Amino acid sequence: MSVTSFHVLFLAMCVCAGAPIRLAAETPTAAMEPEMFKAPADGGVRRWQVVAADGVVPRKAPGDEKGAGPVFAGGAVVANHGCRDTGGSVWCAVGPLGTGVAGIVAAQALAPVAGPDGVVAVGVDDSDRRAKQRRFDAKAEVACAQEQGDALATCTIGVARSGGGDATAALTFGNGFTRYLYFTNGAFMRGSSTMSGAGRDIDWDIVDGIYRIRVDDQRVRVPVPLIIGK
């Protein structure tokens, strides 16, 4: 079975289809409500943290010896794509933030993780939709440059937040051009695709509480509280 076919089968059998979740009392996720194991589209947590000290290797199927992807180190934050009970053990489909499913790992190696705002995000991130509807949680003026070599000028920014450090920012330059910036778990992930570029050629860091972001040839400085809300 191909990885893609397995993912389709796996998601069809996840807890959102009604399979009960049973975990041993000593597992990190034992106290969770069953709904939390669903995929985010069905109300589950958006992300897990790897609590296995030695990390985990995603598998294609429970018990597989061969890994389906690279090791997720202990402490790594991974995207949740839903879990299922295989008859005494629970396996969860996971992947790197911002990409698809890498494989499945045993639930006892995972625990819900709060974002930089202290919120354990559940359900689908709706910040992109709300940002494009101009339903912002915060607005501000920030420093920006639209073209390579330009000095920093002033742009307006509106931010729609979705909890857990997930947000979409609408950055509007002086000429009225708007580009959307996407954040997950407090990390800058990409910009929207425009004539300026696909939005995935990025560099970013945080210095003195300010996101310093380059996406394609554009640059912007955004205070961290605008994105995460605190």
Side-chain angles (χ1 to χ4, degrees), residues 72-131:
F72 290 120
V77 177
V78 296
N80 170 39
H81 295 278
C83 305
R84 67 180 174 104
D85 188 336
T86 62
S89 61
V90 178
W91 291 78
C92 298
V94 300
L97 301 184
T99 62
V101 178
I104 61 171
V105 301
Q108 61 262 32
L110 306 170
V113 61
D117 57 354
V119 173
V120 176
V122 298
V124 175
D125 174 9
D126 67 347
S127 64
D128 181 34
R129 175 178 57 82
R130 290 191 296 108

